[in-house]
Amino acid sequence: MKKNKIKVVGLFSGCGGLDLGFKQAGYDIIWANDILKDACETYKLNIGNHIINEDITKINLETIPSADVIIGGPPCQGFSGIGKRDPNDDRSALVYSYLDVVNRIQPKIFLFENVTGIKSSKASDGSKVIDNLKKAFEDIGYHINIYTLNAADYGVPQKRKRVFIIGNKLGTDITAPTQTHFDNVPDKKQWVSSFEAISDLESPTENGNIKYKQEPICDYQSLMRKNSNETTLQIIPYSSPTDKEIIKHVKPGGNYMDIPDEVSTKRIMYFKSTGGRTTTYGRLDPEKPNYTLNTHFNRPNIGCNIHYNEDRMITIREGLRFQSFPDDFHLISKTKRNYYVQVGNAVPPLLSKAWAEHLLQYLTEKPDAKAIHIAKSLKRQPHNPKLVKEYVFANAENQSE
């Protein structure tokens, strides 16, 4: 099977981070959907016109084309309803809509992405959400593996951990992609730092259109700039006068604990008294990757979003860099809020591409799924003449292709 013939359907695609990684790896994305109109317009601009702007629960499943692979992850707020399939629970329906599409299409492989909280979440009946999902996929014929991956381990300048449920009808275990970047491991590629991620970008402007202030200093910058001589969305972020004063006091790699009491708000004083919240009012450490980028990275009080040496929040383009979107990827949004929603909700394309390239060996290797299934049966019934004959025939077919 050739790379460009492996067909993919994307669910809950957003602006297309997961889909982009598969496209970069040579897959053919033939259909996608998302409920956010701005995200769909961004997707069309950068990936293709095959995305449908509609609530997945309202789409006729018969209209979704057959595919070899299904990718995506439903919003996590529906997991509380997984214990019992309640048709009146719209949030629960999002999870089961993914399951229903997989059941209808019967792809060779599916990739389900979500937040790490899914591992500890309990359903309404007290059972574990992750166990319920695993069983639900097994009940429709899929072999399941579950992994928690850190995006920084795959060249993304962000310590973003996500859970991946990988299902297949090949009857085999699918491993996780091989780690490519490491945290202080000698003779290995190191994690991409915040400085390496964004240091070649000019300071923000009113319209956000900039050229680069220097030649690339690392492989990551070269990769992000591969098709670009300039870029967009490097727009001056807004901060209130109070936030501007607070930001001045936070050191690189620091957080709310650096803010003097006389400048601190009541909320900051509460944080100081109760502890925790490492990334709150955080400033980037130039020598380390960013923490998880969220949908509020225009605010200092949610996440580590202060530039490492300029007294400001990071820009939309810098957010895209931390997510590993290339500089020729542009966003469409009618509201300021939806710029941040699109970026913060995305799967980093480099992590997606690692999965896509890794899965090629399972989608193209021989023996095929039939031979694997027969081989497993032979282990249980080694002297069954019918199975021996089927196995020999299946492998003979493979050799002749």
Side-chain angles (χ1 to χ4, degrees):
M1 185 183 293
K2 295 180 180 179
K3 287 184 183 180
N4 62 0
K5 295 298 184 182
I6 301 177
K7 299 188 183 301
V8 178
V9 160
L11 305 177
F12 308 95
S13 294
C15 69
L18 193 55
D19 301 50
L20 181 60
F22 275 76
K23 181 178 180 180
Q24 290 172 339
Y27 289 70
D28 183 13
I29 318 292
I30 59 172
W31 191 93
N33 97 287
D34 199 79
I35 196 170
L36 184 64
K37 181 172 175 50
D38 285 342
C40 290
E41 293 304 312
T42 293
Y43 189 106
K44 290 177 183 178
L45 176 66
N46 295 278
I47 300 174
N49 292 322
H50 52 263
I51 192 166
I52 307 299
N53 177 212
E54 182 58 274
D55 183 338
I56 189 65
T57 64
K58 298 178 181 178
I59 291 176
N60 180 356
L61 300 190
E62 297 299 319
T63 65
I64 303 176
S66 295
D68 303 293
V69 180
I70 289 178
I71 59 177
C76 58
Q77 60 263 38
F79 292 145
S80 60
I82 289 179
K84 296 178 181 179
R85 185 168 184 174
D86 181 357
N88 298 314
D89 186 344
D90 291 337
R91 298 170 304 169
S92 174
L94 295 177
V95 177
Y96 281 101
S97 289
Y98 186 103
L99 180 77
D100 289 342
V101 174
V102 170
N103 194 28
R104 151 80 174 76
I105 301 299
Q106 291 288 303
K108 295 180 179 71
I109 289 174
F110 73 81
L111 184 65
F112 179 108
E113 176 269 347
N114 229 279
V115 295
T116 56
I118 191 175
K119 295 194 298 183
S120 57
S121 294
K122 295 289 185 70
S124 54
D125 62 358
S127 58
K128 294 186 70 173
V129 164
I130 197 76
D131 293 338
N132 294 336
L133 276 174
K134 183 174 184 291
K135 184 177 186 305
F137 285 123
E138 288 173 341
D139 286 346
I140 61 172
Y142 283 86
H143 185 86
I144 301 299
N145 296 101
I146 301 173
Y147 301 101
T148 301
L149 302 185
N150 185 345
D153 293 341
Y154 298 89
V156 180
Q158 182 188 170
K159 291 180 282 187
R160 186 186 190 94
K161 291 184 178 180
R162 287 295 183 266
V163 170
F164 291 89
I165 302 175
I166 182 80
N168 76 86
K169 295 186 75 69
L170 310 177
T172 188
D173 284 327
I174 291 181
T175 61
T178 302
Q179 183 177 347
T180 58
H181 292 67
F182 299 81
D183 180 23
N184 294 321
V185 177
D187 301 320
K188 297 284 189 179
K189 279 188 177 181
Q190 300 302 298
W191 280 352
V192 180
S193 70
S194 296
F195 182 82
E196 291 172 317
I198 63 174
S199 63
D200 61 324
L201 298 174
E202 285 281 8
S203 294
T205 64
E206 290 291 340
N207 65 12
N209 298 328
I210 61 160
K211 295 184 181 297
Y212 303 106
K213 64 182 180 182
Q214 62 193 38
E215 290 298 311
I217 63 167
C218 61
D219 290 342
Y220 187 78
Q221 291 180 7
S222 296
L223 180 62
M224 294 298 101
R225 291 163 57 167
K226 185 175 181 181
N227 301 311
S228 305
N229 295 316
E230 56 187 19
T231 191
T232 59
L233 298 172
Q234 186 71 345
I235 302 167
I236 299 171
Y238 169 79
S239 292
S240 69
T242 299
D243 283 343
K244 286 180 179 178
E245 180 61 31
I246 286 171
I247 286 171
K248 292 178 183 178
H249 298 279
V250 182
K251 64 186 180 184
N255 58 18
Y256 65 94
M257 293 299 293
D258 297 324
I259 303 167
D261 289 352
E262 59 270 22
V263 176
S264 296
T265 62
K266 289 183 179 179
R267 185 176 185 180
I268 293 172
M269 293 302 294
Y270 173 76
F271 291 160
K272 288 183 178 183
S273 66
T274 56
R277 305 175 183 87
T278 303
T279 65
T280 304
Y281 289 94
R283 188 188 284 269
L284 296 166
D285 184 330
E287 298 181 358
K288 297 178 181 179
N290 196 358
Y291 291 97
T292 300
L293 197 78
N294 56 51
T295 61
H296 295 281
F297 65 91
N298 59 319
R299 297 164 56 180
N301 62 327
I302 304 177
C304 184
N305 304 316
I306 304 173
H307 193 275
Y308 51 79
N309 70 354
E310 296 183 16
D311 289 334
R312 61 170 177 83
M313 307 304 297
I314 59 174
T315 67
I316 299 167
R317 175 55 59 188
E318 288 165 345
L320 285 163
R321 278 284 188 96
F322 283 118
Q323 284 280 58
S324 76
F325 281 93
D327 288 353
D328 63 347
F329 191 96
H330 306 292
L331 297 177
I332 295 177
S333 181
K334 292 183 178 178
T335 68
K336 178 181 176 182
R337 174 74 189 126
N338 279 345
Y339 280 117
Y340 294 91
V341 168
Q342 290 181 67
V343 179
N345 278 338
V347 175
L350 278 184
L351 178 55
S352 171
K353 187 180 180 184
W355 267 115
E357 292 178 341
H358 179 66
L359 292 178
L360 286 174
Q361 64 182 295
Y362 299 95
L363 291 162
T364 61
E365 70 174 6
K366 296 178 180 181
D368 66 6
K370 181 179 178 182
I372 293 172
H373 175 73
I374 296 170
K376 281 181 170 285
S377 298
L378 271 172
K379 287 183 179 181
R380 296 189 295 271
Q381 306 175 56
H383 303 297
N384 187 321
K386 181 180 178 181
L387 287 174
V388 171
K389 184 178 179 180
E390 287 181 351
Y391 182 70
V392 171
F393 181 73
N395 279 290
E397 281 187 323
N398 290 330
Q399 294 301 321
S400 66
E401 289 180 359

